[in-house]
């Protein structure tokens, strides 16, 4: 068996050794096992040990209150840093600092090329064109941009027609422009973003990078969803971060995704989740030791080429690439926070119920990122060079994160009442039984006060209001946060449990493309 075979595992069935395969299967089952065990224990013990569970729920609610305050401080810090970075002219910053990398001797900022890959399935012309229009207006030399529109063959003729229109309008706007077409039905691949990205980057490597002999270490690869609107200063900020980083070839670079392009058209539940995702990414930027790549991201071409680019047999390539690099480079890998936004679409379908369905599927796919847990835990077991402390730290954070996503909102907003409902017996006659609903309600009310500050930041992130919306729309943009608790159950815990359960029972998910539209 190949020495580092674990670097390219997608599922347990791909492992030949029976002992290793059983261990990997156990790791695939573990997230669902922990989550469902927690839920069943809370329900069961609420009946047989209601007093203990009541105490546990009170302590858990207090913990959640303190954690909410703690995370809110991190979010505010990240928001302020992002506002500060947006206001800078990063090309001037690069010029004034005369910045050159100590890790890349002789490399100045004008030597850096940016390779931008935009994978496309069946997105309409207006969505794709808006993304390219933003790229054509950046405050960075366009002669240093290589742009690839990575088209899926399975998207059909309409997709190819959009690609031809984009090439016609923007084909000469950058140093090089390439349309790659990812063939359908390649054996061993999961049709999706990862396989498309890998096909596209190999095409640009062969057709452009190697032909023009561009040094790999001087290329930064950014992978954006095709609906991404790029801020004019993004590439200047990214270049500054890359050249000032101590280990640019052992780092990913993570912007903050703002799902606001069409936020005014989105229903309340979609807006809440869009902002919640943004806020969580802000919080993680303030805790870089926990920051894992997500959605839009950037990475040096040299380390990407060294690991063989993205895996083609996984669903969530955006976070998998972090673990690939961490395992390949024996733990010497980090994610650098940019504190800088990229602007993306929130979920908007043709009808309310279609949006709800799409939202659920999108969150289910994101939550299916738990497929990475068995991958890196198995890799930690095989790779003896990674520091043990780092293995335990990252392992705990990821296991706890998956568990929290699936269980916390259920425990807080639903199961907290169980001891008084099914406890019965002597417990129903105690003072604690009588006061438990009031105690939990008080703690949750205090915690919900934090939503006021969340709403304020959300308002500050909104793009200009379309003229056809009246002033009353502002009220709903604030009042929507009252739906947060139910939103976190329906579009948080439930799809997370769904994803974990499917992984446990080998009901593996494929890649689901979120439909994009602009009303």
């Amino acid at each position: 068996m190949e020495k580092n075979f674990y670097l390219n595992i997608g599922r347990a069935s791909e492992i030949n050794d029976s002992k290793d395969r059983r261990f990997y299967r156990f790791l695939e089952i573990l997230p669902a096992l922990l989550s469902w065990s927690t839920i069943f224990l809370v329900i069961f013990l609420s009946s047989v040990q209601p007093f203990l569970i009541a105490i546990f729920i009170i302590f858990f609610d207090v913990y959640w209150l303190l954690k909410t305050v703690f995370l809110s401080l991190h979010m505010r810090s990240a928001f302020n840093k992002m506002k500060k970075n947006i206001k800078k002219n990063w090309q001037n910053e690069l010029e004034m600092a005369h910045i050159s990398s100590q890790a890349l001797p002789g490399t100045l900022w004008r030597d850096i090329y940016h390779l931008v890959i935009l994978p496309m399935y069946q997105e309409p012309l207006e969505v794709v064109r808006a993304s390219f229009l933003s790229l054509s207006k950046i405050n960075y030399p366009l002669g240093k941009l290589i742009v690839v529109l990575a088209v899926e063959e399975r998207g059909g003729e309409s997709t190819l027609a959009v690609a031809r229109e984009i090439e016609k309008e923007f084909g000469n706007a950058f140093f090089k422009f390439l349309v790659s077409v990812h063939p359908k039905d390649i054996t061993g691949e999961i049709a999706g973003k990862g396989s498309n990205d890998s096909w596209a980057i190999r095409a640009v490597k062969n057709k452009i990078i190697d032909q023009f002999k561009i040094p790999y270490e001087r290329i930064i690869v950014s992978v954006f969803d095709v609906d991404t609107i790029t801020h004019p200063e993004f590439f200047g900020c990214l270049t500054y971060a890359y050249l000032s980083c101590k280990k640019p070839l052992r780092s990913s670079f993570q912007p903050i995704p703002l799902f606001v392009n069409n936020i005014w058209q989105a229903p309340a539940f979609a807006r809440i989740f869009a902002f919640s995702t943004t806020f969580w990414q802000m919080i993680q930027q303030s805790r870089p030791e926990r920051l894992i790549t997500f959605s839009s991201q950037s990475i040096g071409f040299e380390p990407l080429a060294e690991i063989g680019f993205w895996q083609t047999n996984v669903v969530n390539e955006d976070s998998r690439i972090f673990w690939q690099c961490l395992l390949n480079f024996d733990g010497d890998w980090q994610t650098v926070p940019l504190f800088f936004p990229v602007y993306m679409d929130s979920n908007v379908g043709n009808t309310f119920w279609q949006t709800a369905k799409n939202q659920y599927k999108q969150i289910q796919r994101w939550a299916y990122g738990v497929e990475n847990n068995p991958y890196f835990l198995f890799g930690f077991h095989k790779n003896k060079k990674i520091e043990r402390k780092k293995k335990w730290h990252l392992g705990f954070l990821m296991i706890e994160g998956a568990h929290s996503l699936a269980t916390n909102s259920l425990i807080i907003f639903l199961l907290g009442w169980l001891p008084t409902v099914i406890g019965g017996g002597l417990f129903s006659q105690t003072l604690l039984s009588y006061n438990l609903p009031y105690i939990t309600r008080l703690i949750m009310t205090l915690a919900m006060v934090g939503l006021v500050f969340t709403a304020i930041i959300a308002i500050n992130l909104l793009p200009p209001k379309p003229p056809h919306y009246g002033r009353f729309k502002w009220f709903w943009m604030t009042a929507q946060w009252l739906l947060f608790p139910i939103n976190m159950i329906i579009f948080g815990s439930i799809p997370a449990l769904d994803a974990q359960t499917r992984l446990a029972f080998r009901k593996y998910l494929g890649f689901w493309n979120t439909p994009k539209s602009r009303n």
Side-chain angles (χ1 to χ4, degrees):
M1 185 176 291
E2 185 183 348
K3 182 180 178 182
N4 294 332
F5 73 97
Y6 58 86
L7 293 175
N8 296 309
I9 295 173
R11 297 168 181 171
S13 58
E14 299 172 11
I15 302 174
N16 294 324
D17 183 83
S18 59
K19 183 179 179 180
D20 283 342
R21 186 168 59 249
R22 286 194 298 269
F23 180 51
Y24 201 98
R25 270 300 295 150
F26 167 74
L27 295 176
E28 287 183 336
I29 294 169
L30 184 61
L33 179 64
L34 292 175
S35 296
W36 282 113
S37 296
T38 299
I39 294 170
F40 284 134
L41 276 174
V42 171
I43 295 172
F44 175 71
L45 292 177
S46 291
S47 176
V48 300
Q49 291 290 340
F51 184 83
L52 291 179
I53 288 297
I55 296 297
F56 163 76
I57 288 171
I58 291 172
F59 275 100
F60 187 84
D61 287 350
V62 171
Y63 158 77
W64 195 75
L65 169 61
L66 296 176
K67 185 177 180 178
T68 300
V69 173
F70 174 74
L71 295 179
S72 295
L73 294 175
H74 278 293
M75 183 174 68
R76 182 176 179 180
S77 172
F79 176 68
N80 289 333
K81 289 179 182 178
M82 186 181 73
K83 284 201 306 181
K84 183 178 179 181
N85 283 343
I86 288 175
K87 294 177 181 178
K88 289 183 179 181
N89 183 315
W90 283 96
Q91 189 166 332
N92 287 346
E93 295 288 329
L94 290 166
E95 291 281 8
M96 293 172 61
H98 300 290
I99 189 168
S100 62
S101 174
Q102 296 180 358
L104 306 171
T107 302
L108 302 175
W109 79 267
R110 289 186 178 274
D111 299 322
I112 297 297
Y113 285 82
H114 289 275
L115 168 57
V116 184
I117 300 176
L118 296 129
M120 176 189 170
Y121 177 48
Q122 290 181 329
E123 290 78 10
L125 177 62
E126 62 269 21
V127 170
V128 184
R129 186 177 182 276
S131 299
F132 274 84
L133 196 61
S134 70
L135 278 175
S136 69
K137 296 180 179 180
I138 60 171
N139 184 29
Y140 195 88
L142 295 182
K144 293 295 183 179
L145 254 66
I146 304 169
V147 183
V148 182
L149 181 57
V151 175
E152 289 280 8
E153 182 187 22
R154 61 193 175 92
E157 180 56 38
S158 61
T159 298
L160 295 173
V162 171
R164 287 192 290 268
E165 285 294 322
I166 293 297
E167 185 174 24
K168 181 179 178 181
E169 184 173 358
F170 297 98
N172 297 317
F174 315 105
F175 169 61
K176 291 294 176 181
F177 177 89
L178 177 69
V179 174
S180 68
V181 181
H182 176 228
K184 60 183 177 179
D185 301 328
I186 296 178
T187 303
E189 283 193 353
I190 291 179
K193 190 176 173 185
S195 53
N196 192 0
D197 290 342
S198 287
W199 182 272
I201 202 168
R202 289 188 173 96
V204 76
K205 174 183 180 295
N206 295 331
K207 295 180 180 180
I208 297 173
I209 294 172
D210 289 347
Q211 285 194 21
F212 284 86
K213 295 181 170 56
I214 304 173
Y216 288 0
E217 73 275 8
R218 294 185 177 182
I219 304 172
I220 308 174
V221 182
S222 295
V223 180
F224 295 156
D225 286 358
V226 79
D227 61 298
T228 303
I229 303 297
T230 310
H231 190 283
E233 300 296 334
F234 174 80
F235 290 103
C237 178
L238 173 59
T239 304
Y240 193 101
Y242 185 77
L243 292 177
S244 58
C245 181
K246 290 183 179 179
K247 294 184 176 182
L249 301 181
R250 294 293 180 268
S251 303
S252 301
F253 299 86
Q254 181 65 51
I256 298 173
L258 301 185
F259 299 90
V260 296
N261 289 344
N262 57 348
I263 195 69
W264 289 97
Q265 290 79 36
F269 66 84
R271 293 196 300 264
I272 292 172
F273 193 82
F275 281 123
S276 297
T277 305
T278 292
F279 294 153
W280 181 247
Q281 287 298 309
M282 283 184 177
I283 290 166
Q284 297 300 79
Q285 296 251 322
S286 290
R287 303 186 295 174
E289 74 283 356
R290 296 168 174 253
L291 186 59
I292 309 299
T293 47
F294 172 78
S295 188
S296 301
Q297 57 191 268
S298 302
I299 185 174
F301 186 89
E302 183 176 290
L304 270 177
E306 187 170 338
I307 67 170
F309 307 114
W310 296 270
Q311 282 185 245
T312 60
N313 56 347
V314 296
V315 174
N316 290 280
E317 89 302 328
D318 53 354
S319 50
R320 174 60 65 93
I321 194 68
F322 173 87
W323 300 110
Q324 280 181 260
C325 292
L326 186 80
L327 293 176
N328 184 81
F329 297 114
D330 301 326
D332 186 17
W333 195 261
Q334 63 175 342
T335 303
V336 176
L338 293 179
F339 296 103
F340 203 94
V342 291
Y343 303 93
M344 304 169 69
D345 285 15
S346 56
N347 217 314
V348 178
N350 295 325
T351 66
F352 177 89
W353 293 112
Q354 186 62 52
T355 301
K357 181 180 178 180
N358 291 351
Q359 185 72 81
Y360 185 92
K361 287 187 174 181
Q362 183 184 55
I363 299 162
Q364 181 194 52
R365 174 168 62 83
W366 288 354
Y368 195 69
V370 75
E371 70 175 335
N372 291 319
N373 285 23
Y375 173 80
F376 71 75
L377 290 172
F378 186 81
F380 286 171
H381 172 67
K382 291 294 183 180
N383 190 322
K384 308 302 181 184
K385 296 180 181 179
I386 301 176
E387 184 184 2
R388 182 175 297 179
K389 180 181 178 181
K390 190 164 194 173
K391 292 180 181 180
W392 281 100
H393 177 68
L394 286 173
F396 172 78
L397 289 179
M398 295 301 107
I399 292 172
E400 189 275 335
H403 182 264
S404 295
L405 178 61
T407 62
N408 277 12
S409 59
L410 289 174
I411 293 173
I412 292 167
F413 299 118
L414 283 183
L415 303 185
W417 296 82
L418 278 182
T420 59
V421 175
I422 66 175
L426 295 176
F427 178 72
S428 63
Q429 302 173 27
T430 65
L431 189 61
L432 179 59
S433 173
Y434 178 77
N435 287 317
L436 181 61
Y438 300 100
I439 295 171
T440 55
R441 188 186 305 132
L442 174 61
I443 297 171
M444 289 301 98
T445 300
L446 292 174
M448 294 288 281
V449 170
L451 291 180
V452 175
F453 300 101
T454 300
I456 292 172
I457 292 179
I459 291 296
N460 278 276
L461 293 175
L462 287 172
K465 180 174 65 65
H468 60 277
Y469 287 114
R471 294 181 181 180
F472 197 64
K473 189 74 172 179
W474 287 105
F475 170 78
W476 287 118
M477 285 291 185
T478 304
Q480 68 189 19
W481 290 100
L482 295 174
L483 300 174
F484 181 79
I486 192 170
N487 220 70
M488 289 308 297
I489 294 172
I490 298 176
F491 298 109
S493 288
I494 294 177
L497 281 170
D498 185 355
Q500 292 176 15
T501 304
R502 289 172 184 269
L503 182 64
F505 285 95
R506 290 197 182 102
K507 302 296 183 181
Y508 301 115
L509 290 175
F511 187 90
W512 183 77
N513 291 85
T514 306
K516 308 290 183 183
S517 64
R518 301 279 170 82
N519 296 329

